[in-house]
Each structure stands twice: as structure tokens, then as C-alpha cells.
Amino acid sequence: MWPFIMKRRESVKRSTFKEELKEEECKEEINAVDERTFKLQVSHGSCTGVFWRGDPLTGARPTGPVSDWPRNGALLKGQIHEIKGQQWLHVSTMRQARSSSAFKTVGKNRWIPFDGGPFNGGKFLHQCTFS
């Protein structure tokens, strides 16, 4: 599980992706409820992002319009869950890629798996790295 530290982080290490994480993108207040920020970036293939998944436990589908699916480079905040041996992020807010606006609340039952598997884009969610 992820370590939870109540501390404001200010600096960011360089990203291994084409786009580097900007320092202001990854500043976050980590809270004890385990809400964290991740960058969505499909590791390989030609996918431009990841469609929302429904609740992996109940099968409940995402509510509302799902055209706001996160594109590569989007920042997602949410709670980490391990379900049937796979890690999932239950997303609460998102800032779309290349957007200068603030994080926006997303609809209910918006989930993203951490990994899509070797034939579905590889790793999806990458932790914002702090020094």
C-alpha cells in the first residue's frame, strides 16, 4: 500500500514521459484518507487516453456523460483500492490534459485501473514523483 504522509511537497523529479510533470501540477496535500494524485499516461500503443470503468466490485456503471474520459497527461485524484489483486483508483476529481483550469469533480462510479495489461496499453496511472 502507499505511504501516507501529512506534508506539503514542493519539488518534483523529472518524468520519464515525453511531457515532464510541471512542479505546479503535482503539488498536493496528501491526506490520511489515502487520496492521491496520479498522471494518466498509457505506457505503449496508440491510445490517447483511457475510458472510464465502472465500479469493479458492484458493476455499477459510471453516471452522467462519459465523454469526459481522461486523455494522456490528465491528472486524477482519488482513493486507491485493491480489488481481486488489482489496484484501482476511484476518481473524485480530474484536471484534463493541457488544461490550465482547476481540478473538476467527476461523476459517480468513475474508476481507472492502474494497469491495462500487456495488450491494452500497459501501465495507465503513474504516481507524481516528489523529491
Side-chain angles (χ1 to χ4, degrees), residues 36-96:
R36 302 293 303 261
T37 302
F38 293 89
K39 181 177 182 181
L40 183 123
Q41 182 72 45
V42 177
S43 294
H44 58 78
S46 60
C47 295
T48 58
V50 178
F51 292 119
W52 293 116
R53 305 316 205 260
D55 188 324
L57 284 176
T58 66
R61 299 182 55 77
T63 60
V66 292
S67 60
D68 67 341
W69 52 276
R71 289 7 181 232
N72 285 337
L75 294 177
L76 308 174
K77 285 186 182 182
Q79 292 182 333
I80 303 162
H81 298 270
E82 186 162 12
I83 301 169
K84 299 177 185 173
Q86 185 177 7
Q87 285 193 319
W88 290 80
L89 186 68
H90 186 198
V91 181
S92 59
T93 58
M94 171 179 76
R95 188 168 84 198
Q96 197 59 269

